[in-house]
């Protein structure tokens, strides 16, 4: 026993002796990489994970340095998108840091949205440099309002390239058949397909492209729901030997991943070429399993699995090699981890260990690391040869045993109706520096966090692995030591089956550092080019003028040798427009002005299907009962007409009441410019001229027809546009707009003081109007009424005036405050009748500041719901990069 102890001590000394402090040359390479190509991570906290259509998603986002997790403010904007299960964009918003330095916003859900699992995605322009795999992604469950009364049951069977679909429309309460007038489903070509039915059940067959959809949108009257379609029958087992290769005559750790749904059993067999059963292959979690065995050189190993027809499916394991060397990781105890090279011996090999782009350690044959000396999260160990070629790599996860914990305390254990609840947050275990947190308080009966995506699981796991991780919180939640060990094993399987390419370390070792392709977005810009009128050649030295009335902005830039221009915009709100025109060096306006369309990355729906369906159904029923008691909620559920035309996608921006399209004018039977003006809210007509409410000179609205300013009742020396935007030069000064001639003598009409509407009516034929847009000036006084005719509709033989371009950038969302009632004694702030306050979300605050004392507090008021609990969730980041997450339950009698 004494000899064994001495041997163990000797081995430990050997390991410790080979530990190398980070090589200064290697460390400088990593530092240069982080300096030349720093990276970002994004985390978004939502007030909950389950919503009813018509609700509002409240959200808070953090942008942190990918290496240190410290908050950074390099990127000025975050784009957040909500996509449905068919990869179609439902909403897109852009948020910026508000005056308090916080990225916060909201997404209002349409009442008619289909029920299903949606994906919330967040990214910055700079984050596109590492690709979509590292965008923030989170599943959100959205239930239809109608699901409180009805439900759709489905049975789908795939036969090769066809799917038989049977649907039943039932009452939610007693499961009886429910009458409906119309049924349709959305085909792959974007059309709604409906048909008559002979009985209560709906039966049809999906073929061709329809059968290749991931989900099927079905609609019974006004109940829309996304149903997952069965995938083609396929089954595959992939094997992942530790370090990348199986090594002969030594014990190997091999993880496997089962994909597909063909077999009925979750267990297979590993058979050698002699027919011996070497090991059982048992799926342990999320299709993953792990085996340990000693393969023999030149021996073939096959995995046998049985499908539902008892047919054997065979999958070959890679052959064991005696010429390969791999890097292996062993958790020696709770405090240390040993990394060593196993297999064929090569001289001048090097083990390099890095975490989030920073060098952790480097050594020859083996390393012994103290877990507490490195950060918590994903670690990458690589083995290089003397030419810095990567021979093997291995991911593993380090978890700290004594990570700091945030504490939430309330002033009472139980609360009654509308009682004030005081909450204290204590960060005494964290480093004493400022932290910015967000807090959500929801009613457990109607709301839940079921996605498993939180600030810890996202920034420590999901953001460092390639691809979407299903329910990452699973690996961190354990009730006892046995369950903790099991889930740590499953987390290690995840490390062995996932890829990581956020940092290209092999290229770095060879001296290459990649430069980012996408810049850091500091401000919104408009880019484009100007071409010559006839030869369509790049026009250098052209002057491009821009004006944005909502923000009192005007600017002039000059094109470069390639005819390209960049206009830096101020902060543009939602629905803002920018008008641009171009002139050559001789002040002649150019019609070949081509602004670049605003581009966004193509996203893919990666989140899984509906989980915890029974739990969600219970919450929907509870929500239904509460809404019946609430006086604040009013829904009218009307049947829908069957539509067979192509489905028109809703504009993802907020509805703009200041745009009239040709179809809208026909629908409203508008037949004159004055009639159109009177439709716009906040506009008035006086003596044939247009004003915003007030009717004074400063309220004057200029009319622009095909880029030409009417400018009827004021001279060029007293240009209203000049006064409106208070700039030294007006890019639309009337005296410069003389290159287009009209059959009518417009100047004579102006001198005769004829009204602007009359001039506009005389210049154009109203049926030729393509659209009319009103742009309100900053402060609400005055603006521009822009009228655009259809192509080739100009009177006479002149070319249509197409000099002005209208650009609508995705504007920044204006902040909104979450409403939380105050029931202070004697207060008249809220007079909600007793018994009707049945809120699902009781409190949401995207910015709770914890100062250097490590303490903060907040309060809110209980609702009228009885016998329930409130779930308090707090997430945040300290200035030093420590991650904060705490939860607490509050009992309500």
């Amino acid at each position: 026993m004494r000899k064994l102890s001495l041997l163990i001590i000797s081995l430990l000394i050997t390991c410790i002796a080979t530990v190398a402090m980070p090589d200064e040359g290697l460390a400088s390479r990593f530092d240069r990489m982080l300096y030349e190509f720093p990276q970002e991570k994004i985390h978004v906290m939502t007030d909950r994970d389950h919503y009813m259509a018509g609700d509002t998603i409240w959200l808070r986002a953090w942008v942190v340095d990918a290496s240190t997790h410290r908050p950074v403010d390099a990127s000025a904007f975050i784009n957040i998108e909500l996509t449905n299960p068919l990869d179609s964009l439902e909403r897109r918003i852009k948020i910026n840091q508000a005056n308090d330095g916080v990225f916060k916003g909201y997404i209002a859900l349409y009442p008619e949205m289909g029920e299903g699992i949606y994906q919330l995605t967040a990214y910055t322009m700079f984050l596109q440099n590492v690709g979509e795999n590292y965008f923030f992604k989170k599943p959100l469950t959205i239930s239809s309002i109608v699901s409180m009364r009805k439900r759709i049951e489905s049975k789908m069977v795939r036969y090769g390239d066809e799917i038989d679909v049977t649907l039943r429309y039932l009452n939610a309460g007693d499961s009886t058949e429910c009458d409906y007038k119309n049924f349709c489903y959305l085909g792959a070509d974007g059309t709604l397909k409906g048909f008559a039915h002979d009985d209560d059940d709906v039966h049809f067959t999906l073929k061709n492209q329809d059968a290749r959809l991931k989900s099927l949108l079905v609609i019974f009257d006004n109940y829309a729901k996304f149903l997952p379609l069965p995938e083609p029958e396929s089954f595959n087992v992939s094997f992942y030997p530790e370090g990348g290769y199986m090594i002969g005559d030594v014990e190997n750790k091999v993880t496997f991943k089962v994909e597909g749904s063909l077999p009925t059993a979750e267990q297979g067999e590993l058979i050698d070429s002699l027919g011996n059963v070497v090991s059982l292959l048992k799926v342990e979690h999320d299709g993953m399993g792990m085996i340990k065995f000693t393969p023999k050189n030149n021996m073939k190993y096959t995995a046998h699995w049985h499908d539902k027809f008892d047919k054997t499916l065979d999958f070959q394991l890679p052959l064991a090699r005696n010429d390969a060397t791999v890097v292996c990781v062993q958790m020696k105890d709770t405090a240390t981890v040993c990394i060593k090279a196993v297999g064929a011996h090569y001289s001048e090999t090097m083990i390099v260990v890095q975490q989030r782009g920073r060098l952790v350690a480097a050594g020859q044959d083996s390393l012994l690391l103290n877990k507490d000396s490195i950060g918590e999260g994903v670690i990458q160990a690589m083995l290089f040869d003397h030419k810095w070629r990567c021979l093997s790599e291995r991911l593993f996860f380090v978890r700290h045993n004594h990570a700091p914990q945030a504490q939430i305390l309330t002033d009472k254990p139980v609360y009654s109706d509308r009682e004030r609840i005081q909450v204290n947050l204590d960060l005494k275990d964290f480093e004493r520096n400022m932290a910015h947190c967000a807090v959500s308080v929801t009613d457990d009966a109607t709301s839940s966090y079921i996605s498993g995506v939180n600030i810890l699981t996202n920034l420590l796991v999901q953001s460092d692995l390639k691809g979407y991780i299903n329910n990452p919180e699973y690996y961190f939640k354990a009730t006892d030591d046995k369950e903790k060990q099991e889930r740590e094993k499953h987390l290690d399987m995840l490390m062995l089956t996932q890829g990581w390419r956020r940092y290209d370390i092999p290229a770095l070792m060879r001296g290459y550092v990649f430069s980012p392709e996408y810049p850091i977005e500091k401000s919104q810009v408009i880019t484009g080019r100007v071409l010559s009128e006839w030869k369509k050649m790049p026009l250098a030295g052209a002057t491009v003028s821009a004006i944005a009335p909502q923000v009192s902005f005007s600017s002039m830039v000059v094109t470069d040798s390639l005819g390209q221009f960049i206009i830096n915009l101020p902060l543009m709100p939602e629905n803002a427009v920018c008008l641009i025109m171009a002139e050559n060096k001789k002040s002649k306006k150019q019609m070949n002005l081509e602004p670049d369309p605003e581009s966004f990355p193509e996203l893919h729906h990666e989140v899984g299907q509906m989980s915890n369906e029974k739990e969600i159904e219970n919450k929907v029923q509870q929500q239904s009962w509460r809404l019946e008691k609430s006086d604040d909620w009013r829904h009218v559920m009307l049947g829908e007409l069957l539509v067979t035309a192509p489905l028109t996608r809703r504009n993802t921006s907020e509805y703009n009441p200041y745009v009239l399209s040709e179809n809208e004018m026909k629908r409203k039977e508008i037949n004159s410019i004055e009639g159109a003006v009177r439709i716009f809210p906040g506009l008035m007509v006086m003596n044939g001229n247009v004003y915003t409410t007030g009717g004074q000179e400063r309220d004057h609205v200029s009319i622009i027809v095909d880029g030409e300013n009417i400018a009827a009742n004021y001279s060029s020396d007293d240009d209203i546009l000049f006064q409106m935007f208070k700039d030294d030069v007006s890019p639309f000064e009337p005296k410069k707009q003389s290159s287009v001639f009209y059959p009518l003598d417009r100047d004579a009409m102006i001198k005769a003081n004829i009204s602007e509407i009359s001039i506009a009516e005389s210049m154009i034929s109203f049926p030729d109007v393509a659209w009319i847009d009103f742009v309100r000036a900053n402060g609400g006084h005055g603006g521009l009424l822009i009228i655009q005719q259809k192509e080739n509709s100009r009177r006479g033989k002149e070319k249509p005036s197409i000099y002005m371009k209208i650009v609508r950038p995705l504007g920044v969302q204006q902040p909104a405050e979450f409403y939380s009632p105050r029931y202070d004694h004697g207060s008249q702030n809220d007079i909600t009748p007793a018994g009707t306050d049945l809120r699902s979300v009781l409190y949401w605050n995207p910015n709770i500041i914890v100062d250097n004392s490590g303490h903060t507090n907040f309060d809110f008021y209980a609702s009228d719901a009885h016998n329930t609990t409130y779930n308090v969730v707090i997430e945040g980041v300290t200035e030093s990069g420590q991650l904060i997450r705490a939860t607490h339950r509050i009992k309500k009698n």
Side-chain angles (χ1 to χ4, degrees):
M1 188 68 183
R2 175 181 174 83
K3 291 182 179 180
L4 181 60
S5 299
L6 290 175
L7 178 61
I8 294 174
I9 293 173
S10 176
L11 288 174
L12 289 176
I13 292 174
T14 302
C15 285
I16 295 172
T18 58
V19 172
M21 293 301 289
D23 178 84
E24 186 174 352
L26 291 181
S28 63
R29 295 185 191 185
F30 280 87
D31 291 341
R32 182 164 67 93
M33 177 186 66
L34 294 178
Y35 176 78
E36 294 186 13
F37 191 175
Q39 296 189 22
E40 297 172 327
K41 290 182 180 179
I42 293 180
H43 176 68
V44 178
M45 176 183 174
T46 56
D47 59 322
R48 46 186 159 154
D49 287 350
H50 173 237
Y51 298 86
M52 300 294 294
D55 282 344
T56 298
I57 301 172
W58 296 93
L59 54 89
R60 158 73 194 270
W62 290 265
V63 181
V64 300
D65 176 74
S67 178
T68 63
H69 290 164
R70 292 177 178 172
V72 293
D73 58 359
S75 293
F77 307 101
I78 299 177
N79 292 328
I80 300 179
E81 302 185 9
L82 184 68
T83 53
N84 65 32
L86 292 176
D87 280 339
S88 296
L89 179 68
E90 294 285 352
R91 295 297 309 275
R92 177 188 287 130
I93 64 170
K94 181 186 289 288
I95 60 175
N96 72 316
Q97 288 183 315
N99 295 332
D100 54 5
V102 173
F103 287 102
K104 57 186 176 182
Y106 63 94
I107 297 177
L109 302 178
Y110 309 124
E112 67 272 19
M113 288 181 71
E115 182 171 288
I117 300 291
Y118 289 71
Q119 178 175 283
L120 187 75
T121 306
Y123 59 92
T124 63
M125 177 185 288
F126 192 66
L127 195 56
Q128 295 181 68
N129 289 296
V130 293
E132 183 193 353
N133 283 309
Y134 299 100
F135 290 1
F136 171 84
K137 294 183 179 180
K138 177 180 181 178
L140 295 178
T141 304
I142 299 178
S143 296
S144 170
I145 301 170
V146 189
S147 67
M148 296 186 296
R149 294 287 182 269
K150 317 291 183 183
R151 78 170 190 268
I152 299 174
E153 287 187 353
S154 64
K155 180 181 179 181
M156 301 186 187
V157 181
R158 177 180 286 274
Y159 299 100
D161 294 334
E162 297 184 354
I163 303 176
D164 280 351
V165 181
T166 302
L167 304 175
R168 301 184 70 198
Y169 194 42
L170 307 174
N171 289 302
D174 55 11
S175 298
T176 57
E177 296 285 350
C178 183
D179 293 333
Y180 60 93
K181 294 182 178 179
N182 300 300
F183 167 79
C184 59
Y185 67 90
L186 182 64
D189 59 355
T191 61
L192 291 172
K193 302 177 180 180
F195 46 83
H197 54 277
D198 299 328
D199 50 30
D200 292 326
D201 290 348
V202 174
H203 182 80
F204 56 95
T205 301
L206 298 176
K207 301 179 180 180
N208 302 323
Q209 293 294 330
D210 289 349
R212 298 187 184 99
L213 293 170
K214 294 185 296 185
S215 296
L216 181 69
L217 176 62
V218 300
I219 306 173
F220 285 88
D221 290 341
N222 56 345
Y223 186 2
K225 184 175 183 177
F226 290 96
L227 300 174
L229 293 178
E231 298 179 356
E233 291 186 346
S234 63
F235 181 70
N236 185 55
V237 182
S238 303
F239 293 91
Y240 302 88
E242 184 177 22
Y245 302 100
M246 287 205 308
I247 307 299
D249 298 326
V250 298
E251 186 179 64
N252 283 242
K253 182 187 295 183
V254 180
T255 303
F256 60 90
K257 182 73 178 288
V258 176
E259 296 176 304
S261 57
L262 187 58
T264 56
E266 292 190 350
Q267 183 170 292
E269 296 175 333
L270 182 64
I271 310 294
D272 64 18
S273 56
L274 300 178
N276 301 314
V277 177
V278 177
S279 176
L280 294 179
L281 303 174
K282 184 179 179 180
V283 175
E284 297 188 39
H285 173 68
D286 202 21
M288 298 181 297
M290 180 185 291
I291 56 173
K292 293 181 180 179
F293 76 108
T294 302
K296 296 179 181 180
N297 288 316
N298 301 319
M299 180 73 76
K300 292 183 178 180
Y301 295 89
T302 305
H304 289 316
W305 231 283
H306 300 281
D307 65 10
K308 59 185 178 181
F309 305 108
D310 202 29
K311 179 182 177 181
T312 301
L313 303 174
D314 294 339
F315 302 93
Q316 297 294 326
L317 272 69
L319 288 174
R321 299 178 54 171
N322 57 10
D323 61 342
T325 304
V326 299
V327 59
C328 296
V329 174
Q330 295 178 349
M331 299 295 178
K332 305 298 292 187
D333 50 44
T334 58
T336 57
V337 55
C338 183
I339 305 168
K340 61 181 180 179
V342 176
H345 178 72
Y346 289 91
S347 60
E348 300 181 19
T349 57
M350 175 74 73
I351 296 176
V352 177
V353 182
Q354 68 95 15
Q355 181 184 42
R356 297 195 290 268
R358 293 188 178 275
L359 182 62
V360 173
Q364 291 283 326
D365 298 316
S366 62
L367 300 171
L368 188 65
L369 304 179
N370 188 319
K371 291 183 180 179
D372 292 334
S373 66
I374 53 182
E376 194 171 24
V378 179
I379 311 289
Q380 185 182 31
M382 292 160 290
L383 181 68
F384 293 93
D385 66 7
H386 66 287
K387 292 185 178 180
W388 292 114
R389 291 175 297 195
C390 186
L391 303 176
S392 174
E393 67 175 329
R394 164 78 149 92
L395 297 184
F396 62 97
F397 192 89
V398 167
R399 180 179 297 174
H400 290 168
N401 297 321
H402 305 291
Q405 300 293 322
Q407 294 184 349
I408 300 176
L409 300 173
T410 55
D411 57 330
K412 290 178 61 178
V414 183
Y415 295 86
S416 57
D417 289 358
R418 306 196 180 191
E419 188 175 0
R420 183 187 180 192
I421 302 175
Q422 300 183 63
V423 182
N424 292 298
L425 174 62
D426 189 347
L427 302 181
K428 63 180 180 180
D429 292 341
F430 290 76
E431 296 177 10
R432 294 302 176 89
N433 50 46
M434 187 171 292
H436 290 263
C437 301
V439 58
S440 173
V441 183
T442 57
D443 192 321
D444 281 333
T446 58
S447 300
S448 62
Y449 281 92
I450 56 177
S451 68
V453 179
N454 58 55
I455 196 167
L456 298 179
T457 63
N458 177 45
L459 295 183
L460 293 181
V461 180
Q462 185 163 307
S463 62
D464 277 338
L465 296 178
K466 189 175 182 179
Y468 180 77
I469 309 302
N470 183 41
N471 189 20
E473 191 177 38
Y474 164 85
Y475 303 101
F476 293 83
K477 294 182 70 174
T479 57
D480 52 42
D481 290 340
K482 181 179 179 181
E483 189 174 63
K484 181 181 179 182
Q485 292 178 359
E486 181 184 62
R487 299 200 175 188
E488 286 182 350
K489 177 185 176 183
H490 296 165
L491 180 57
D492 196 43
M493 295 179 190
L494 183 68
M495 297 297 108
L496 287 165
T497 57
Q498 292 293 130
W500 188 20
R501 293 295 181 270
R502 178 184 277 274
Y503 301 97
D504 193 342
I505 305 303
L508 176 66
M509 294 295 98
R510 295 192 297 271
Y512 298 104
V513 176
F514 296 100
S515 299
E517 176 185 356
Y518 296 90
I520 294 176
E521 190 177 17
K522 288 291 188 181
S523 64
Q524 293 178 272
V525 298
I526 295 175
T527 61
R529 63 176 183 166
V530 180
L531 303 178
S532 61
E533 186 167 351
W534 300 111
K535 295 184 179 181
K536 304 294 189 297
M537 298 296 292
L539 196 62
T543 300
V544 180
S545 304
I547 187 169
Q550 289 96 328
V551 292
S552 301
F553 167 79
S554 64
S555 177
M556 287 185 177
V557 297
V558 179
T559 59
D560 62 15
S561 60
L562 300 177
Q564 298 175 337
F565 63 88
I566 300 177
I567 302 172
N568 290 298
L569 299 173
L571 200 64
M572 300 287 284
E574 289 180 304
N575 299 317
V577 298
C578 187
L579 316 176
I580 59 175
M581 296 180 70
E583 294 180 346
N584 62 16
K585 294 180 180 179
K586 297 181 180 180
S587 299
K588 181 180 179 181
K589 287 188 287 187
Q590 301 298 303
M591 64 179 178
N592 294 321
L593 170 62
E594 299 178 353
D596 295 329
E598 194 169 13
S599 62
F600 300 94
E602 182 179 353
L603 302 181
H604 300 87
H605 194 85
E606 296 184 0
V607 300
Q609 298 300 334
M610 181 93 63
S611 60
N612 303 316
E613 285 195 63
K614 191 64 179 177
E615 177 185 350
I616 294 173
E617 184 178 335
N618 292 336
K619 293 183 183 300
V620 169
Q621 294 306 313
Q622 182 64 226
Q623 183 86 308
S624 173
W625 178 85
R626 291 192 178 189
L627 293 180
E628 287 180 352
K629 305 295 182 182
S630 173
D631 289 338
D632 295 334
W633 194 288
R634 294 290 183 267
H635 284 298
V636 179
M637 300 183 183
L638 301 176
E640 292 186 351
L641 297 176
L642 180 61
V643 180
T644 57
L647 181 65
T648 302
R649 295 295 179 189
R650 180 189 294 270
N651 191 330
T652 56
S653 62
E654 290 290 338
Y655 167 66
N656 187 354
Y658 301 116
V659 177
L660 278 177
S661 65
E662 179 186 4
N663 291 335
E664 186 72 4
M665 288 184 283
K666 289 181 179 178
R667 188 179 68 84
K668 294 183 178 182
E669 298 181 352
I670 300 171
N671 53 23
S672 68
I673 293 178
E674 183 170 350
V677 170
R678 297 184 184 279
I679 290 294
F680 290 108
L683 291 188
M684 58 186 300
V685 179
M686 294 177 58
N687 299 322
N689 297 317
V690 185
Y691 301 87
T692 54
T693 303
Q696 304 300 318
E697 183 179 355
R698 64 173 182 169
D699 302 309
H700 179 269
V701 174
S702 296
I703 300 179
I704 294 178
V705 179
D706 289 345
E708 300 299 324
N709 192 348
I710 300 301
N713 290 325
Y714 53 90
S715 67
S716 60
D717 295 331
D718 190 27
D719 194 337
I720 294 297
L721 285 176
F722 181 83
Q723 295 179 7
M724 185 188 308
F725 304 112
K726 300 178 181 179
D727 207 331
D728 294 335
V729 180
S730 172
F732 299 108
E733 203 167 345
K735 64 183 179 183
K736 291 186 178 181
Q737 299 182 2
S738 58
S739 58
V740 176
F741 299 93
Y742 295 91
L744 301 171
D745 188 349
R746 186 181 57 165
D747 291 336
M749 298 178 71
I750 293 175
K751 291 178 181 179
N753 202 26
I754 298 176
S755 71
E756 292 184 22
I757 288 182
S758 297
I759 297 176
E761 297 275 15
S762 64
M763 289 170 54
I764 61 176
S765 171
F766 190 79
D768 293 331
V769 174
W771 49 261
I772 301 177
D773 191 349
F774 171 59
V775 180
R776 184 181 292 274
N778 188 37
H781 297 289
L784 303 176
L785 187 72
I786 306 165
I787 303 172
Q788 189 72 30
Q789 294 187 82
K790 304 173 188 175
E791 292 289 334
N792 300 320
S793 61
R794 175 75 64 179
R795 288 184 180 179
K797 297 182 180 180
E798 308 88 355
K799 292 182 178 180
S801 179
I802 52 173
Y803 299 106
M804 184 179 65
K805 303 292 184 180
I806 298 181
V807 180
R808 300 179 183 274
L810 177 62
V812 175
Q813 185 180 71
Q814 299 302 297
E817 296 296 326
F818 177 85
Y819 170 71
S820 183
R822 307 288 301 183
Y823 295 122
D824 299 89
H825 181 68
S827 171
Q828 298 300 316
N829 293 340
D830 198 288
I831 54 175
T832 306
T836 61
D837 181 358
L838 302 172
R839 291 165 286 150
S840 295
V841 182
L842 290 93
Y843 184 72
W844 166 258
N845 190 335
N847 188 27
I848 290 183
I849 300 176
V850 184
D851 57 23
N852 294 336
S853 68
H855 298 275
T856 192
N857 58 75
F858 57 91
D859 65 350
F860 60 94
Y861 286 80
S863 67
D864 295 334
H866 296 158
N867 300 321
T868 188
T869 56
Y870 300 151
N871 185 25
V872 182
V873 178
I874 296 177
E875 294 186 356
V877 183
T878 68
E879 289 183 342
S880 62
Q882 290 182 295
L883 307 181
I884 301 167
R885 176 172 169 85
T887 61
H888 184 74
R889 286 294 197 283
I890 299 174
K891 187 175 181 180
K892 168 67 171 54
N893 61 21

